[in-house]
């Protein structure tokens, strides 16, 4: 079954070439032109990747991103927008996006980024699946639990945690995390990683997870075990 891509873009002259290009790549592509249609779609049908414009006629794309995540959507979200500043990128990632492309963009680069998102989604590295009194990760289902409580994570948050759990109590460098979770040729700011780590910490703390994501200044991050380990 082909992987499904949802394109959320209100400008036809941008949407049509994008849809045709993705269809030629073999994806099952669906196009909607408003935020509400996008939310209706992700709530009723699975999309592996959502390509999301921010300047929608009925609501800001950031709100669409936030509501999709709050509603349980766990697929990849790529924001495409004319808002190209670093702060805009950080805000978009903070709302739950996995990638961010500034308009105008090349279709070849967008295709490459979609492929990268799908590779990371489908080929997450295996990690330890449980810790007594702490985290339990179901890699196949891409779900994380603390006791009986599920921790709702975005795709990037899950991948960062999976790498840290696989290297528990060891320092994982920023360079490795960026290469494993984003792309070794990532050209954006490493603040992307800081934003994702910040969200991950908040979510783990909110459900009482004892493991802590600790920053090692100038090096990277380490997941420290709970006291009973």
């Amino acid at each position: 079954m082909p992987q499904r891509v949802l394109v959320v873009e209100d400008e036809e002259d941008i949407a049509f070439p994008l849809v045709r290009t993705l269809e030629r790549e073999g994806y099952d592509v669906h196009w909607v032109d408003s935020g509400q249609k996008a939310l209706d779609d992700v709530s009723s049908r699975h999309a592996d990747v959502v390509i999301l414009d921010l300047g929608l006629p009925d609501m800001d794309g950031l709100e669409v991103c936030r509501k999709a995540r709050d509603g349980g959507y766990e697929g990849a979200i790529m924001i495409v927008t004319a808002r190209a500043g670093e702060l805009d990128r950080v805000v978009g990632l903070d709302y739950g996006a996995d990638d961010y492309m500034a308009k105008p963009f090349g279709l070849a680069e967008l295709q490459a980024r979609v492929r990268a998102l799908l590779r990371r989604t489908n080929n997450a590295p295996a990690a330890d699946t449980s810790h007594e009194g702490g985290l339990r990760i179901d890699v196949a289902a891409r779900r994380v639990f603390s006791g009986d409580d599920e921790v709702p994570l975005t795709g990037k948050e899950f991948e960062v945690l999976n790498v840290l759990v696989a290297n528990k109590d060891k320092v994982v460098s920023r360079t490795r995390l960026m290469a494993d979770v984003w792309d070794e040729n990532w050209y954006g700011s490493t603040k992307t990683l800081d934003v994702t780590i910040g969200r991950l910490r908040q979510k783990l703390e909110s459900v009482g997870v004892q493991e802590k994501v600790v920053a090692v200044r100038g090096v990277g991050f380490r997941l420290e075990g709970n006291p009973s380990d």
Side-chain angles (χ1 to χ4, degrees), residues 155-200:
K156 286 292 187 290
E157 292 162 2
F158 177 90
E159 290 160 18
V160 168
L161 180 62
N162 202 25
V163 173
L164 293 175
V165 169
N167 296 275
K168 190 180 178 190
D169 294 321
K170 300 176 183 177
V171 178
V172 181
S173 71
R174 297 175 67 89
T175 301
R176 178 182 169 186
L177 282 168
M178 292 300 298
D180 286 358
V181 177
W182 279 267
D183 189 286
E184 61 184 4
N185 297 315
W186 171 262
Y187 295 111
S189 169
T190 57
K191 285 186 178 179
T192 299
L193 174 59
D194 296 310
V195 169
T196 303
I197 289 285
R199 290 199 314 257
L200 178 60

Side-chain angles (χ1 to χ4, degrees), residues 90-109:
V90 170
V91 170
L93 294 163
D94 204 25
Y95 270 66
D98 298 290
D99 201 355
Y100 194 109
M101 282 193 71
K103 296 179 181 178
F105 54 82
L107 289 175
E109 181 183 357

Side-chain angles (χ1 to χ4, degrees), residues 1-220:
M1 181 180 295
Q3 292 167 308
R4 187 168 185 273
V5 178
L6 175 65
V7 175
V8 188
E9 171 62 65
D10 64 316
E11 297 185 36
E12 292 185 7
D13 59 339
I14 295 176
F16 284 176
L18 181 54
V19 169
R20 287 197 299 268
T21 297
L22 292 169
E23 286 178 338
R24 284 197 295 267
E25 284 272 296
Y27 301 116
D28 175 16
V29 185
H30 184 60
W31 169 49
V32 297
D33 59 4
S34 73
Q36 188 57 55
K37 290 177 183 177
L39 292 172
D40 292 342
D41 188 282
V42 297
S43 66
S44 61
R45 294 188 290 179
H46 173 72
D48 297 287
V49 177
V50 175
I51 298 175
L52 175 64
D53 179 41
L54 295 188
L56 300 171
D58 57 337
M59 68 178 75
D60 191 280
L62 290 174
E63 189 67 9
V64 176
C65 186
R66 184 188 65 78
K67 288 184 176 181
R69 292 304 191 198
D70 288 348
Y73 176 68
E74 297 179 348
I77 297 177
M78 177 192 296
I79 288 176
V80 291
T81 178
R83 306 176 198 172
E86 183 178 22
L87 179 59
D88 296 307
R89 292 173 183 267
V90 170
V91 170
L93 294 163
D94 204 25
Y95 270 66
D98 298 290
D99 201 355
Y100 194 109
M101 282 193 71
K103 296 179 181 178
F105 54 82
L107 289 175
E109 181 183 357
L110 184 136
Q111 288 174 279
R113 291 196 182 210
V114 169
R115 290 194 297 268
L117 286 172
L118 290 170
R119 281 197 303 271
R120 289 190 291 270
T121 299
N122 296 329
N123 298 304
D128 296 338
T129 56
S130 65
H131 296 292
E132 185 67 26
L135 290 170
R136 178 166 57 87
I137 297 181
D138 184 336
V139 176
R142 295 176 64 80
R143 301 175 73 183
V144 176
F145 299 87
S146 173
D148 294 328
D149 297 323
E150 182 169 0
V151 186
L153 301 181
T154 67
K156 286 292 187 290
E157 292 162 2
F158 177 90
E159 290 160 18
V160 168
L161 180 62
N162 202 25
V163 173
L164 293 175
V165 169
N167 296 275
K168 190 180 178 190
D169 294 321
K170 300 176 183 177
V171 178
V172 181
S173 71
R174 297 175 67 89
T175 301
R176 178 182 169 186
L177 282 168
M178 292 300 298
D180 286 358
V181 177
W182 279 267
D183 189 286
E184 61 184 4
N185 297 315
W186 171 262
Y187 295 111
S189 169
T190 57
K191 285 186 178 179
T192 299
L193 174 59
D194 296 310
V195 169
T196 303
I197 289 285
R199 290 199 314 257
L200 178 60
R201 281 174 172 154
Q202 291 175 356
K203 291 181 179 182
L204 295 179
E205 291 172 0
S206 71
V207 295
V209 171
Q210 296 180 20
E211 285 94 335
K212 304 293 183 183
V213 179
V214 177
V216 180
R217 188 170 182 176
V219 182

